Amino acid sequence: MGRRPARGHRRVPHTADVRIEAWAPDREGCVAQAVAALVDSFVDPGRAEPDGRAAFRLPAGEDPDLLVGVLDEVIFRLETEGVLPLATEVRPTDDGGLRVEWRIVHADAVEATGAVPKAVSLHGLRFAPDGDGWSCAVTLDV
């Protein structure tokens, strides 16, 4: 099998829920790829164009907690505002937290392809540096 690209994400087989993996050269890029993997797990953004922006900040915490916080925010915004991120930019803050900026689209502008995640499971959560940068694996409860 060939070497994986520098950044990316994929859905991997799981018995009942949805399992995603993401990787990138740095921590923030890996978080952005995990957001894309979450969204891709249940919609096809196709040719949807962003129709707004959203931003938020997470305070300093352990790396896995930061990843879960960002993914939880995706689910929360979908449930409360009906929006999804089409593009994600993540930057570190001076205190060790994260600043996340999204280009968003209303969920009714994309095609649903699977069950909508209800929560991020802590079971089997992995987010850490690896030989090629950073990688994560997350199970999404559907």
Side-chain angles (χ1 to χ4, degrees):
M1 191 161 126
R3 186 178 161 107
R4 72 180 186 198
R7 65 184 67 242
H9 61 271
R10 66 182 176 183
R11 185 174 173 171
V12 294
H14 192 271
T15 53
D17 295 312
V18 173
R19 184 108 171 131
I20 57 173
E21 294 179 347
W23 59 91
D26 56 32
R27 178 183 77 152
E28 293 75 23
C30 189
V31 171
Q33 286 296 318
V35 169
L38 185 157
V39 172
D40 289 352
S41 77
F42 69 99
V43 300
D44 177 6
R47 297 178 186 213
E49 292 291 327
D51 56 14
R53 292 185 176 271
F56 65 98
R57 186 184 172 288
L58 289 173
E62 298 295 318
D63 292 325
D65 295 336
L66 292 171
L67 173 64
V68 170
V70 173
L71 298 178
D72 279 343
E73 189 72 15
V74 174
I75 295 168
F76 175 76
R77 299 268 179 125
L78 175 61
E79 290 175 352
T80 61
E81 300 172 16
V83 298
L84 289 169
L86 287 180
T88 302
E89 184 177 330
V90 182
R91 291 190 302 268
T93 60
D94 291 339
D95 68 356
L98 297 175
R99 175 158 173 76
V100 180
E101 295 181 16
W102 285 331
R103 295 181 63 205
I104 58 173
V105 66
H106 286 275
D108 58 2
V110 295
E111 179 182 348
T113 59
V116 175
K118 301 297 179 200
V120 177
S121 174
L122 299 179
H123 180 73
L125 176 68
R126 179 179 51 77
F127 181 46
D130 67 14
D132 295 322
W134 281 72
S135 66
C136 67
V138 179
T139 300
L140 305 169
D141 296 333
V142 293

